[in-house]
Amino acid sequence: MNGKIILNLAISLDGYIADEEGGFDWIVGDGSDTLNTKNKIDFDKFLEGIDVVVMGRNCYNQNFHNEYKDKDVYIATSDDMDDYENYHFIKCDICKQISDLKEEGKNIFLFGGGKMIDPFIKDDIIDEYIIGIIPTILGKGRRLFLGNNPKIDLKLQQYSVEDGIVVMRYSKRNN
C-alpha cells in the first residue's frame, strides 16, 4: 500500500510562506471567532499519521527539526552532511528518494520551504495540499509557488475556519 506525500503549511493571502528573513510571527488569526466552523483540521491528529517530515536546510537551521524527534526527518541540502539520530540529509534527487519512501507505505509531510517544495510541485507528486490562508497581505517575502508549474487539478476534501484562518485540504482530482 502506498503512502502519501502531503504539503501542509500556512500562506499569506498573497502567497508567501515566510517574510524576507524567513520569519513567521505574522502567522496568526484575526482574533474573531464569528465565522469559526465546528469541525477543525487538527494538526496534532494530522501528525499522528505522518511517518516522515521533509524540510529544507533553512528550516533545519531554524531548528524546526527539533519538533519532530519521533519522526524520520529528511533535510534537503546542497552541502555534504552526515546523518545522525533520526535526521537524514539529501543532497541529490530529493523527489526520487521521498517517492521511494512513499512506495514503502510511508506518509510524508512536506514542511517547507519553497525551494524544497518546488520540485515536488513541478513533478506533480504531491497527493494532498493542506493550506491555511492567513488573513494578512504580507507584500513581500518567500513564496510558496515559484512559478512555471504544471497545471494540477485539485478537489476540495475538507475546510475549516478558526480565528479568520481558512484551512483547506485538497487532493488531486481524478481526471
Side-chain angles (χ1 to χ4, degrees):
M1 182 172 143
N2 282 350
K4 290 182 180 178
I5 297 175
I6 306 166
L7 174 65
N8 187 340
L9 50 68
I11 65 172
S12 64
L13 190 61
D14 54 346
Y16 295 101
I17 58 175
D19 65 23
E20 289 179 300
E21 289 78 42
F24 52 90
D25 58 349
W26 54 272
I27 299 179
V28 294
D30 64 10
S32 172
D33 63 2
T34 56
L35 295 176
N36 284 6
T37 55
K38 289 182 182 169
N39 295 327
K40 304 285 182 252
I41 296 178
D42 186 332
F43 186 72
D44 291 332
K45 186 175 179 188
F46 163 76
L47 278 181
E48 288 173 12
I50 294 298
D51 304 297
V52 173
V53 178
V54 182
M55 65 181 62
R57 179 69 185 274
N58 288 337
C59 291
Y60 174 79
N61 289 344
Q62 290 178 285
N63 294 314
F64 286 116
H65 62 287
N66 290 329
E67 297 178 27
Y68 303 104
K69 292 185 181 295
D70 62 336
K71 309 283 183 196
D72 280 328
V73 180
Y74 287 78
I75 300 106
T77 180
S78 57
D79 297 323
D80 288 319
M81 298 180 70
D82 293 328
D83 296 351
Y84 69 97
E85 297 171 4
N86 58 314
Y87 306 112
H88 312 275
F89 296 91
I90 301 176
K91 190 173 176 182
C92 56
D93 199 350
I94 190 168
C95 290
K96 168 77 171 101
Q97 291 188 43
I98 298 304
S99 291
D100 289 348
L101 293 171
K102 174 186 167 181
E103 295 297 317
E104 293 173 16
K106 298 192 184 289
N107 288 323
I108 295 127
F109 168 24
L110 297 183
F111 179 82
K115 285 184 196 172
M116 185 279 299
I117 293 167
D118 190 57
F120 289 90
I121 294 170
K122 294 208 176 359
D123 285 358
D124 191 13
I125 57 174
I126 299 173
D127 299 294
E128 287 187 12
Y129 292 77
I130 302 172
I131 307 289
I133 307 293
I134 306 304
T136 297
I137 295 173
L138 202 54
K140 55 187 171 181
R142 298 181 183 172
R143 291 204 164 275
L144 170 57
F145 299 105
L146 302 183
N148 298 316
N149 296 315
K151 179 178 179 282
I152 301 170
D153 292 318
L154 303 172
K155 178 178 174 148
L156 182 63
Q157 298 290 338
Q158 182 182 8
Y159 69 91
S160 67
V161 178
E162 187 166 7
D163 297 329
I165 300 171
V166 179
V167 181
M168 299 164 290
R169 183 173 63 88
Y170 292 96
S171 62
K172 284 207 272 190
R173 208 181 309 161
N174 295 328
N175 293 333

